[in-house]
Amino acid sequence: MVIDATALCDWQSLAISGSASDLKFAERARRDLQLCEFQHDVAWQSTDIDATRERLVVLSDCSDTGVAGLLCARVADNDITYTVAGRTILRRKIAQYTIHQGPVTTRNPARGAIEAGMEKLATEMPTGSAVYVSAVPRGSHLDDLLADRRSGLRKAFHVIPWGRSSTHFKIRWSGSAEAYLASLSSKTKRKNVRRASQRLKSDQPLRVECFRSAGEINRFLADGAAISAKTYQARDLGLGLEDQPGREALIRFAAHRNAFLGHILYVGDIPIAFRYGFIFGKTLFAVGTGYDPAHVALAPGSILFLEALNDLERSALPIDLIDFMPHENSFKRDRANLEIQVHNYFLFPRTWSGFSIYAPIALLEIVADVAGRNLRRIRRIFGSSKPARPSQSPDSNDLESYTKLCGPACIGPTGARACRLHAASMGAHLGSHSAWRNPKVCAV
């Protein structure tokens, strides 16, 4: 549905409390906007909110014919931190508004409606606040607005790109595991994915169980938490399945809507790997995964991934896209047949308060950029071998891609907590948009 282009945008703030009227509005917005991302859905987002530390801010653009636009932001008090070589040189407490990809609109042209929504948000934000926009697709209307210094959005906000451009990996799914394998770009990738099926036929008593219904969730959560507690996400980042407030509620919410899909790999009766996702529209969002590092030789993540695809084929669920969630790691890269370039941004309102937060960070970004360019120039002149990569634990192979984004100095638990890209990427590997709420900076 495309709403008349001559209609004026009317973005208004909504008070969301989880009431019946809120749920009714969420259903109407989902229908009118044909939402395809659960991160944009009011009902899903309000379920996942950690009420002890955050709240949901919703702006809607309504017309006589329905909901024409929606902007959901999760708001929490966070520290924005700038770290150089492991040393924190700037820390500032802010009220952080976190938005996934940006506003959604059916107005035509969309650019003006998105611009109006972001400008409205700027007027609603209190002193000492900033907006973190994650996974903005390259070439999208919002990305163009952020790059255009003459746009109304740039007149309302100071803008800092946050980290380098990264890749959002997805799978176009036609309903057949064989067709998916044929779609991979190289023979090596196909061979690596197929190898998992051979491991399932090993001498060890391996089996995979699927979890979908609300009645199966207790066992999934219990076995999944037992695995998650052993992963580096839980051990080093505090992002285990049981560590994320609101995650259990969201899983149960999805299961009651017949929108949950979970799998666990067992050796005998011992759970060793899990993965789960949410079905929203015709997309399966691969939200969380983890495995027991004691069984790394089995490649349990690879086994579980292929078996999950086989289960999708058998169940014939109406899925045409599998979304690995934003930010990179080698597992996603090797299995995706669709890649979208994305970028993250921090936006600071053009007020004295906003400028006082923006200015020192912008200055540090300039200094870091100049230092980086000079270092590269010195290496080109005098020659320099690549620095040795720090040793990695057996269950941290995903750190390879983070090294490429941020440099070896960021590797490890301390660096991961200090680095803006790691904070987002590692959380996104778990599908944890809770990790996007507190991105941090690491200059190397």
Side-chain angles (χ1 to χ4, degrees), residues 3-18:
I3 294 178
D4 185 0
T6 61
L8 296 175
C9 295
D10 184 26
W11 289 93
Q12 298 295 328
S13 179
L14 298 179
I16 299 297
S17 62

Side-chain angles (χ1 to χ4, degrees), residues 81-90 162-164 360-373 375-376 405-411 414-422 439-444:
T81 305
Y82 205 104
T83 300
V84 177
R87 179 173 298 177
T88 299
I89 61 175
L90 175 68
W162 212 242
R164 301 176 188 175
I361 296 173
L363 179 60
L364 287 168
E365 286 281 89
I366 293 171
V367 171
D369 182 59
V370 171
R373 281 189 278 114
L375 181 59
R376 288 192 295 272
L405 287 171
C406 292
C410 293
I411 290 297
T414 302
R417 288 196 180 95
C419 175
R420 62 182 171 197
L421 285 170
H422 290 174
K440 299 180 181 181
V441 178
C442 183
V444 294

